[in-house]
Amino acid sequence: PTSLLGTFIVMAIFHFNLETLTLLALTMVIGIVVDDAIVDVENISRLIEQGQDTKSAVINGTNEIGLSVIASTLTIVAVFLPVGLMVGSVGKFFKPFGLTISAAVLFSLLVARTLTPVLCLRWLKPSLVKKREFFLVRSYARLLDWALAHRKTVMAIALASFLVGIAFIPFIPKGFVPILDRGEFNVMNSTALPRINIISSSDSPSGSVFNWMDDLAKSPEEFLLKRTMSAGRRLEKVILNSPDIESAFTTAGIN
């Protein structure tokens, strides 16, 4: 949890969200994050079982596997950090993926080399280690004896679990890109064509009422685009009056 918390802080700094690529990165790296903590604890527990006091076991156990943990972490960073630093359109697409993985493994290394040994020093006592080993071995032995004595039941449970998993497949949403709430919405607006009012020339000074018809005849596309943009700007002002709206932009000329 501490490693993932540090990763989320880095994601917040770079304004990353929990979306397809960042969730994929966290899914890929979660095993490494857990493994970095487990190897320290297990190695320290082994030395305590061999008779070393807790402090010596923490120091020796951490030093024994320190180089291996550092090497494996830096190897992952060397692979994925350049991906997060790529430029161009491809870099913008893969930047959240590469930086999220790199941040997660680096925080995992930091926790494994600092926080985990300290917690082992405070919590791992020889008596607790022996009780834990006794409890785990005894529980596993009982479960294994029962499974070997009831083989048909175990196979039936495994087959039923498999069939239940298959039955749930139609109810699972599927798709290449998940539906995400990006905090965006679209407003589609159609601008009505100008109305032609037939009036006598005596009621109109110099025929000014027909000026827009001259503009329309000269450049129909430009005239209609100006009318659409003008309506869009008025619509933007109404939308931006809401305190929940941060920004808006208008695109004209889309059918």
Side-chain angles (χ1 to χ4, degrees):
T2 308
S3 303
L4 294 181
L5 176 61
T7 306
F8 290 148
I9 293 174
V10 174
M11 292 172 60
I13 293 174
F14 286 95
H15 304 289
F16 298 156
N17 298 319
L18 286 176
E19 37 85 14
T20 307
L21 289 176
T22 53
L23 287 176
L24 176 62
L26 293 174
T27 302
M28 292 180 59
V29 83
I30 193 66
I32 302 170
V33 172
V34 174
D35 183 67
D36 286 346
I38 288 179
V39 292
D40 272 334
V41 176
E42 292 299 324
N43 199 43
I44 294 171
S45 299
R46 178 182 61 84
L47 296 179
I48 292 177
E49 292 174 8
Q50 293 177 357
Q52 296 188 21
D53 61 278
T54 305
K55 184 176 181 180
S56 300
V58 168
I59 296 174
N60 297 331
T62 305
N63 291 335
E64 283 181 0
I65 61 173
L67 183 60
S68 301
V69 174
I70 294 174
S72 62
T73 300
L74 295 182
T75 300
I76 298 172
V77 174
V79 172
F80 288 101
L81 185 58
V83 175
L85 300 179
M86 294 173 65
V87 296
S89 57
V90 177
K92 292 181 180 179
F93 187 74
F94 283 103
K95 181 178 180 179
F97 179 75
L99 292 184
T100 299
I101 289 184
S102 301
V105 295
L106 287 175
F107 272 104
S108 176
L109 174 63
L110 180 63
V111 170
R113 301 300 297 165
T114 57
L115 181 61
T116 301
V118 174
L119 294 179
C120 289
L121 181 62
R122 295 183 60 88
W123 291 347
L124 282 183
K125 305 300 180 183
S127 58
L128 294 178
V129 172
K130 291 180 180 180
K131 289 181 180 179
R132 187 194 67 167
E133 291 297 323
F134 176 76
F135 174 77
L136 292 177
V137 172
R138 189 173 181 180
S139 300
Y140 178 72
R142 288 180 176 178
L143 179 62
L144 186 60
D145 290 339
W146 182 88
L148 293 176
H150 302 81
R151 298 180 183 181
K152 292 183 179 179
T153 304
V154 173
M155 294 299 297
I157 293 175
L159 181 60
S161 301
F162 176 75
L163 294 177
V164 170
I166 296 296
F168 273 109
I169 290 179
F171 301 98
I172 300 176
K174 295 176 288 294
F176 179 71
V177 179
I179 300 175
L180 302 175
D181 182 7
R182 298 182 176 272
E184 301 175 356
F185 65 92
N186 298 326
V187 177
M188 306 298 294
N189 177 63
S190 298
T191 305
L193 293 175
R195 298 178 60 183
I196 301 178
N197 296 322
I198 305 300
I199 60 176
S200 63
S201 59
S202 60
D203 296 333
S204 172
S206 304
S208 59
V209 72
F210 294 107
N211 287 344
W212 65 267
M213 297 185 65
D214 295 335
D215 296 336
L216 178 61
K218 293 178 181 178
S219 179
E221 295 82 3
E222 182 178 355
F223 174 79
L224 295 177
L225 186 60
K226 287 182 178 179
R227 284 179 54 88
T228 303
M229 288 299 298
S230 177
R233 293 190 184 97
R234 294 195 300 270
L235 188 59
E236 276 189 9
K237 292 180 180 179
V238 176
I239 293 175
L240 291 174
N241 286 332
S242 173
D244 298 325
I245 304 300
E246 181 178 349
S247 62
F249 71 93
T250 299
T251 302
I254 298 177
N255 295 327

